[in-house]
Amino acid sequence: MGILKVGIAGAGIVGLTSALELQNILPSADITVIANEFNQDTTSDGAAGLFRPGTSFCGPSIDITRKWIEDAYRHYSDLIPERCGIKEVGGYIFSSISQSNVQNHYLEKLVPVYRPATRSELKLCPGDWKYGAYFSTLLIECRQFLPWAVSRFKKGGGKVEKGNISSFDDLFQTYDVVFNCTGLGAKLLCNDYKLVPIRGQVLKVSAPWLNNFFYGDFDTYIIPGFNGVATLGGCRQFDSFSTDINHYDRAAILERCHSLVPRLKNAPITREWVGLRPHRDPVRVEIEVKGKNKIVHNYGHGGYGVTAAAGTSKHAVRLLIQSLSSSSASCKL
Ligand SMILES: Cc1cc2nc3c(=O)[nH]c(=O)nc-3n(C[C@H](O)[C@H](O)[C@H](O)COP(=O)(O)OP(=O)(O)OC[C@H]3O[C@@H](n4cnc5c(N)ncnc54)[C@H](O)[C@@H]3O)c2cc1C
């Protein structure tokens, strides 16, 4: 009988929510997070962090996906008093094209408010907006949340190591179980052709006066975060691996955001950022048994990883617990 040794590969939002969930459910396990990038160097860091799953976001089934979203929403809501970069926000989504663009079957029954925009609200922003909705949700700012999660994990006895992983077999020299939370890194590590980057570019601007988020057509979004910084976006470029700032994308984002909220023309730009969303259809949350070892995959969240991470991580840990209790593995739980 030995203590279960678990390596969590990846220190983005998915790795850290997995690490904390596992520590909570299996306090006797010896858990180490291993990653080559932490905090500000991860994809999670640059995301605006609005809790808003895309309507096409999908796991293995609609019921499982809905449970991920509901579990994640409750989990993040419960963390608000911890002051770890999570707050409630409200805002508008407008479209001149289709009513379906302003609906969200995941959020409509989950968040406290999701209602059609009134006639006067449709005129809040310049543009010929025919359809609109107002809703409240959460904002999870990874710039605060990731360092908080690392510190909480360490306080709970977890270990953190910086290093490059070239194969999971190497990790099995040390760990009984590996959680694969490597985001786009899983493309090489698992030879997973279904995992593709969706490139996104955003600008961070100083706009302390902005209280609501705004979405418009053509992937236009303006999301106020903490400390008066707002994220302006965006674009979704399928299968593009470029992490360079593109000046055409910048111009298009600024033009669309300025036309939605003209006061932003005077907002100083504080940062520009490109991130590669790890997109996989479906998101992969499953357990793979390799001899006496197990890999728990938890990756491929695309543009909705901040939203869904806390839910998929609960699912991933549940899969491990079920597998441990049904196997005859001689691990002390
Ligand atoms: C522009 C943009 C805006 C976004 N906005 C939102 C939003 O508002 N809401 C939302 O829910 N989502 C948003 N997202 C999506 C979100 O950022 C991602 O889904 C999420 O960050 C994925 O998290 P992750 O932990 O899987 O990956 P990552 O944050 O990329 O973390 C992966 C980790 O694995 C490690 N790793 C990978 N390979 C290896 C290796 N070989 N060896 C060692 N370590 C390795 C990395 O170092 C890192 O620590 C946005 C994304 C972009 C690009």
Side-chain angles (χ1 to χ4, degrees), residues 185-313:
K187 189 166 180 66
L188 283 181
L189 284 166
C190 303
N191 204 13
D192 186 343
Y193 63 87
K194 282 191 174 178
L195 187 62
V196 285
I198 299 185
R199 180 184 175 280
Q201 182 166 324
V202 292
L203 295 101
K204 306 277 177 178
V205 302
S206 175
W209 44 268
L210 186 73
N211 295 316
N212 293 126
F213 58 80
F214 292 92
Y215 279 81
D217 289 323
F218 309 114
D219 212 2
T220 305
Y221 54 87
I222 297 163
I223 301 176
F226 282 80
N227 305 317
V229 175
T231 304
L232 312 190
C235 59
R236 272 162 222 266
Q237 294 154 358
F238 194 82
D239 223 359
S240 168
F241 285 85
S242 169
T243 53
D244 294 337
I245 305 281
N246 179 293
H247 67 277
Y248 296 110
D249 290 332
R250 177 200 296 137
I253 291 166
L254 286 175
E255 187 179 317
R256 283 182 277 125
C257 291
H258 290 171
S259 88
L260 192 59
V261 178
R263 195 175 164 191
L264 285 169
K265 285 178 191 159
N266 301 320
I269 296 169
T270 55
R271 184 182 170 211
E272 287 187 75
W273 180 77
V274 170
L276 304 180
R277 303 170 176 97
H279 172 78
R280 190 181 190 277
D281 186 1
V283 180
R284 188 174 187 199
V285 182
E286 64 186 20
I287 199 157
E288 185 183 347
V289 178
K290 286 197 130 196
K292 63 182 176 47
N293 301 114
K294 298 171 203 294
I295 305 182
V296 186
H297 297 287
N298 188 5
Y299 67 87
H301 299 63
Y304 310 106
V306 180
T307 299
T312 65
S313 297

Side-chain angles (χ1 to χ4, degrees), residues 10-14 36-37 43-44 47 49-50 163 165 182 275 302-307:
I13 185 100
V14 177
N36 52 14
E37 286 170 344
T43 306
S44 303
L50 197 77
I165 301 159
T182 53
Y304 310 106
V306 180
T307 299

Side-chain angles (χ1 to χ4, degrees), residues 15 17 68 70 87 93 99 107 131 133 148 153 168 171 187 203 207 215 243 256 258 265 271 309 318 322 324 326 328:
T17 51
W68 290 347
E70 290 169 2
K87 65 176 179 180
I93 179 160
Q99 171 68 17
L107 288 187
Y131 312 97
W148 172 86
F153 174 65
F168 292 125
L171 294 183
K187 189 166 180 66
L203 295 101
Y215 279 81
T243 53
R256 283 182 277 125
H258 290 171
K265 285 178 191 159
R271 184 182 170 211
R318 267 197 307 273
Q322 281 163 10
L324 290 174
S326 67
S328 56

Side-chain angles (χ1 to χ4, degrees), residues 62 69 98 100 103 129 131 145 161 204 209 221 259 320:
I62 187 73
I69 303 296
S98 163
S100 67
Q103 293 175 318
W129 304 114
Y131 312 97
F145 183 78
E161 270 177 26
K204 306 277 177 178
W209 44 268
Y221 54 87
S259 88
L320 175 64

